Amino acid sequence: MKYLNYILLCLFLLFTSNTFALEQRYHESVLPVIAAFKTQDKTAIAAHIRYPLKRQYPLPDIKNEAEFINRFDEVFDDELVAVIASSNINTDWEKVGWHGIMLYNGVLWVDTDGKIITVNTQNVTERAFAERLIEHDKQSLHSSVNTFKKPILNWKTANYHIRVDDLDDGNYRYAVWSIDKKISEKPDMILLNGDITFEGSGGNHNYTFKNGRYSYVLQVTIIGCDTSPPGWLEVYKDEQRVLSEDVISAI
């Protein structure tokens, strides 16, 4: 009995030690980020970004530190800066496996190198910029698909140009052209009433569209590794996958 108790104690101490070590590692990743926001120094914050920093389509991604400093107010308004600067490392941040470390259930994500990889907010300045881009976007499309409330995806694979748009309140539309066609031409196929499914708190999700026995699934990568594509297209006939193509360009 004493031997068993000794083993249990050793296991408990080992678990406690490992947990403490993990906490220390993620604290070391996040604390410099918090400190940078406390100073409100854009250059210091820019050094803690993993580039390119993805923004929600149709907004272009932020490619480097100079561009980030120029577009800082689009991403971080005074309220978000204050939220990050005043955050508590012990209660407001959480390590989520290989995905990274998140603030307040995913408002902001930091990787284990102390780099910001995702900002899941959109302030007034960025929304206004997005609205201007949306109006320009609509003018370039064929009349059959140039009416929508919000653009979601604009992808190219090896063989297809794909769009997903929100017509209103989550009524998703899928349009696809062969890669050699212009989007000012009529799409090869248009599908309505797509479903969205989220995978955990990291933001990865997919859109599924049905057409008889066929399902068209667009897998969206929000948090992945450095070599992860922005997403990929899968086509199923009944339950059998008949096509899979990585996204090579996310406009």
Side-chain angles (χ1 to χ4, degrees):
M1 187 65 178
K2 288 183 179 180
Y3 182 67
L4 178 59
N5 288 338
Y6 174 75
I7 292 175
L8 292 174
L9 176 61
C10 289
L11 289 173
F12 172 76
L13 291 174
L14 179 62
F15 173 78
T16 303
S17 175
N18 287 341
T19 301
F20 178 76
L22 288 171
E23 287 181 352
Q24 285 297 106
R25 280 200 291 273
Y26 97 71
H27 285 192
E28 290 171 2
S29 300
V30 172
L31 285 172
V33 175
I34 297 174
F37 279 91
K38 284 182 177 179
T39 66
Q40 299 186 26
D41 184 338
K42 294 180 182 179
T43 301
I45 295 169
H48 288 284
I49 303 292
R50 176 77 68 195
Y51 298 99
L53 180 64
K54 293 182 180 180
R55 305 311 298 145
Q56 184 177 328
Y57 177 77
L59 296 163
D61 294 343
I62 298 176
K63 300 180 184 65
N64 52 50
E65 290 190 18
E67 186 177 342
F68 174 79
I69 291 171
N70 288 333
R71 294 176 57 188
F72 182 89
D73 294 336
E74 294 176 23
V75 183
F76 295 104
D77 57 14
D78 291 343
E79 182 180 357
L80 183 55
V81 168
V83 165
I84 299 166
S86 63
S87 62
N88 186 307
I89 186 66
N90 295 306
T91 59
D92 302 330
W93 294 83
E94 182 181 356
K95 180 78 168 63
V96 188
W98 62 269
H99 293 293
I101 307 150
M102 68 177 180
L103 172 64
Y104 293 127
N105 294 318
V107 169
L108 186 84
W109 285 80
V110 175
D111 66 16
T112 53
D113 294 325
K115 299 290 187 180
I116 296 170
I117 52 176
T118 306
V119 183
N120 284 320
T121 61
Q122 191 174 78
N123 62 36
V124 173
T125 301
E126 198 171 49
R127 283 198 296 271
F129 182 25
E131 287 298 325
R132 295 193 297 272
L133 293 174
I134 289 169
E135 288 306 311
H136 181 269
D137 196 20
K138 289 178 177 179
Q139 295 174 18
S140 66
L141 287 164
H142 187 266
S143 58
S144 62
V145 288
N146 69 355
T147 301
F148 52 85
K149 183 177 180 180
K150 180 180 177 183
I152 303 297
L153 299 176
N154 190 357
W155 281 357
K156 288 183 179 180
T157 69
N159 294 293
Y160 302 102
H161 190 158
I162 300 161
R163 282 188 65 98
V164 174
D165 297 297
D166 184 354
L167 302 185
D168 193 18
D169 295 327
N171 179 14
Y172 298 109
R173 179 184 65 202
Y174 171 87
V176 60
W177 297 257
S178 58
I179 198 64
D180 58 340
K181 280 191 173 182
K182 298 178 181 179
I183 58 173
S184 57
E185 300 179 68
K186 187 175 181 179
D188 298 324
M189 181 169 58
I190 300 173
L191 300 175
L192 302 175
N193 302 316
D195 294 322
I196 183 171
T197 303
F198 285 92
E199 303 166 9
S201 57
N204 293 351
H205 56 284
N206 64 71
Y207 298 91
T208 300
F209 297 85
K210 301 284 188 179
N211 184 24
R213 296 173 64 186
Y214 288 87
S215 298
Y216 299 81
V217 183
L218 304 168
Q219 302 281 0
V220 183
T221 304
I222 301 298
I223 294 184
C225 61
D226 291 342
T227 58
S228 298
W232 64 95
L233 165 68
E234 296 177 333
V235 180
Y236 292 86
K237 183 177 182 181
D238 298 324
E239 300 300 319
Q240 182 176 359
R241 188 172 68 181
V242 295
L243 176 72
S244 179
E245 290 193 6
D246 285 351
V247 174
I248 57 177
S249 172
I251 302 169

